[in-house]
Amino acid sequence: MSAEVLALTAAQAGERIRAGELRSADVFAAYRDRAAADELNAFVWVADDVPAAAAADAPLAGVPVAVKDLFCTEGVPSQAGSKILEDYRPPYTATAVRNLQQGGAPLLGKTNQDEFAMGSSNENSAYGPVRNPWDPTRVPGGSSGGSAAAVAAGLAPWAIGTDTGGSIRQPAALCGIVGMKPTYGAVSRYGMIAFASSLDQAGPLTRDVTDCALLLRHMVGQDPCDSTSVAFPEEVRTPSAERLDGIRLGVPEELTGEGIEPGVLENFNATLRTCEELGATIEPMRLPHAPHALSAYYIIAPAEASANLARYDGVRYGLRAPEYDDLLSMYTRTRRAGFGAEVKRRIMLGTYALSSGYYDAYYGRAQQVRTKIADDFRAAFAAVDFVVTPTSPNVAFGLGSKTDDPWAMYLNDYCTVPVPLAGLPAISIPSGLSEGLPVGFQIIGGAFSENRILDAAYALEQAIGFDGSSARGIAGPDAPRPGQERRPDGGKG
Ligand code: GLN
């Protein structure tokens, strides 16, 4: 049963369930058992009981979904990869997750992530690092590393994550799956434990583009609980394009040259030739301010994080230091014990950038750069349909190989960070292998162009014919049992 279920994409499993050829309870149990035997440390909590079958007409047909730890899930641990939220069980469920449940996708489990979504390798989790199913000595990318590894390894049919600077697209690329960051505001942020509120956006991580469209369709929507959410202007359609005739693809000089690993660049150029064979035209172009995106991001995101993370004070959620003298020492000891090194670094950077006397020089400047980057994209989309780049400058790297060098780590997001700064949607699809490891191809579009991006991605996906099945061989006995959660530092790092 498990092998039969595992061979299906989520959309295919849903069709078989609706046709009466497969029971949703069997699909759930097959994935639950695989998730519970996870050797990659992709899950921090796995559901226990098989849920009641979804309604016969439920669009997601009972195919279960893995959810990044930072989405609040009622009564279920929601720890955002942090020790400071140890055992936090929220009294409500995030809108994005609730929308999926209402569509008929029950919660399979909570996936490991970098603490508060800060990271590019999943090594900043208090619950231990995640391993890449293509090579367990390497990272899966981050911060949605658990979601990406779970889907790639066939421990979950599909998953959701969040992307602030690249955290859906980069791990999708490093794990050989599809990941999409929607237009800012398309998916409600209500119940997402916040990192940088003007950038955070939830989206799907899936085996293929069809699954991506199906999952996204049931995530989007305006939510009275998130005033920055907007109604998606049309239904997210099932993609069906076979060609790219008449599509103009802009290739920005700044993001497709220096700093990109040779094997990745070679694959990117080969993918461009495939696009041409499908009828697209390739147009060299410029995004003059894109090289400054990382610098602006590493002011803006930490600034917002320093404000968002002020709420973890030992009073309201999770951890409280066991010993203290007075209120102030309770706060400081709780935060010293509860936050990891990267989170502390970001809080210090952000607090500094926002402090009086430095605000204009750093935060104000970064906001100006952000506007320039958005203007660059606006100008670009007057001339091309999509901007395309490699998703990540490199393939999956060795565990521990960049942990001592924050700047080397930050460079992972060189090609993904400009996109959320401009609020735009983008997808990463697997475009082949370099040295036996997956490479991702990024397609960026104008605001609310998700349907067109999905169509283009689908046509390209069919032409590339990427086979991710070899990564689905992994599952083992040493993992949290159903209904149990992992403890901080309990990962097998
Ligand atoms: N890697 C980037 C960071 O560390 C992006 C993270 C994200 O998108 N959540 O901030």
Side-chain angles (χ1 to χ4, degrees):
M1 171 59 78
S2 177
E4 183 197 336
V5 169
L6 193 63
L8 303 171
T9 66
Q12 289 165 345
E15 277 164 27
R16 297 277 281 272
I17 292 168
R18 265 194 302 277
E21 297 162 12
L22 203 58
R23 282 171 6 113
S24 62
D26 292 335
V27 174
F28 186 92
Y31 279 105
R32 195 265 324 268
D33 293 350
R34 286 181 67 80
D38 155 34
E39 284 186 336
L40 301 171
N41 201 24
F43 281 90
V44 287
W45 181 88
V46 177
D48 199 350
D49 301 332
V50 176
D57 58 349
L60 300 175
V63 180
V65 63
V67 168
K68 188 176 184 178
D69 195 24
L70 62 63
F71 288 90
C72 286
T73 41
E74 187 180 340
V76 167
S78 305
Q79 306 171 125
S82 183
K83 187 171 158 59
I84 211 161
L85 280 172
E86 187 180 352
D87 281 338
Y88 174 57
R89 290 170 190 255
Y92 70 107
T93 295
T95 300
V97 179
R98 218 185 44 230
N99 286 349
L100 293 176
Q101 289 173 333
Q102 280 167 358
L107 176 65
L108 175 65
K110 299 298 286 288
T111 55
N112 203 345
Q113 61 162 98
D114 282 302
E115 184 176 8
F116 289 107
M118 298 176 191
S120 305
S121 67
N122 217 118
E123 292 167 294
N124 296 335
S125 169
Y127 303 86
V130 178
R131 295 172 181 276
N132 190 314
W134 290 83
D135 174 353
T137 69
R138 292 173 191 260
V139 304
S143 64
S144 310
S147 289
V151 173
L155 309 177
W158 48 13
I160 62 172
T162 60
D163 191 310
T164 303
S167 281
I168 290 175
R169 294 161 287 154
Q170 184 256 11
L174 270 46
C175 289
I177 62 165
V178 173
M180 186 172 212
K181 185 207 95 73
T183 306
Y184 184 79
V187 180
S188 170
R189 288 182 296 107
Y190 182 66
M192 263 164 55
I193 295 169
F195 165 13
S197 307
S198 76
L199 299 158
D200 297 343
Q201 186 61 203
L205 294 110
T206 57
R207 227 186 258 187
D208 69 7
V209 176
T210 304
D211 279 358
C212 179
L214 181 58
L215 203 55
L216 181 64
R217 182 186 307 155
H218 296 283
M219 294 176 75
V220 298
Q222 192 166 24
D223 178 8
C225 297
D226 172 6
S227 61
T228 63
S229 72
V230 288
F232 203 77
E234 54 190 356
E235 190 184 49
V236 178
R237 291 187 300 270
T238 304
S240 59
E242 285 167 12
R243 303 266 315 161
L244 296 175
D245 293 315
I247 302 276
R248 296 155 305 170
L249 300 178
V251 178
E253 192 181 299
E254 293 80 3
L255 303 180
T256 54
E258 215 187 319
I260 313 287
E261 220 170 65
V264 170
L265 204 52
E266 202 178 297
N267 174 277
F268 176 72
N269 288 324
T271 308
L272 292 181
R273 287 195 293 278
T274 306
C275 294
E276 283 180 316
E277 284 160 19
L278 291 172
T281 54
I282 307 298
E283 313 206 358
M285 51 158 303
R286 304 272 329 260
L287 289 174
H289 299 90
H292 305 296
L294 271 181
S295 309
Y297 174 85
Y298 276 99
I299 296 293
I300 294 168
E304 295 186 22
S306 71
N308 276 326
L309 271 52
R311 74 190 67 168
Y312 304 105
D313 55 8
V315 177
R316 284 167 286 189
Y317 320 88
L319 185 84
R320 176 180 296 180
E323 281 170 36
Y324 46 86
D325 308 320
D326 53 15
L327 186 63
L328 189 63
S329 80
M330 194 274 283
Y331 289 164
T332 53
R333 284 183 196 177
T334 297
R335 288 166 70 83
R336 187 186 304 148
F339 288 138
E342 182 63 22
V343 171
K344 287 175 182 157
R345 177 162 33 237
R346 306 264 181 122
I347 291 173
M348 286 189 283
L349 275 172
T351 310
Y352 181 81
L354 290 175
S355 57
S356 107
Y358 294 105
Y359 184 94
D360 289 336
Y362 292 107
Y363 186 74
R365 225 1 160 42
Q367 290 290 18
Q368 287 172 334
V369 172
R370 182 177 189 170
T371 301
K372 293 279 184 205
I373 288 168
D375 289 346
D376 282 357
F377 276 111
R378 239 187 308 278
F381 291 127
V384 298
D385 294 284
F386 303 112
V387 173
V388 294
T389 74
T391 306
S392 167
N394 44 260
V395 293
F397 46 95
L399 281 155
S401 67
K402 297 189 183 179
T403 37
D404 293 335
D405 185 349
W407 187 247
M409 191 67 90
Y410 296 173
L411 280 173
N412 275 288
D413 298 307
Y414 187 67
C415 298
T416 50
V417 148
V419 181
L421 284 171
L424 300 175
I427 200 168
S428 175
I429 65 166
S431 53
L433 301 177
S434 165
E435 295 167 32
L437 295 164
V439 177
F441 184 79
Q442 176 172 236
I443 307 174
I444 308 164
F448 299 107
S449 67
E450 276 83 343
N451 275 323
R452 293 171 52 232
I453 293 177
L454 287 161
D455 259 333
Y458 178 81
L460 190 54
E461 173 185 63
Q462 306 312 304
I464 293 171
F466 181 81
D467 178 8
S469 61
S470 66
R472 291 197 284 275
I474 301 181
D478 183 19
R481 289 192 298 280
Q484 278 197 334
E485 77 231 57
R486 253 181 235 280
R487 318 298 301 178
D489 309 315
K492 301 169 294 303

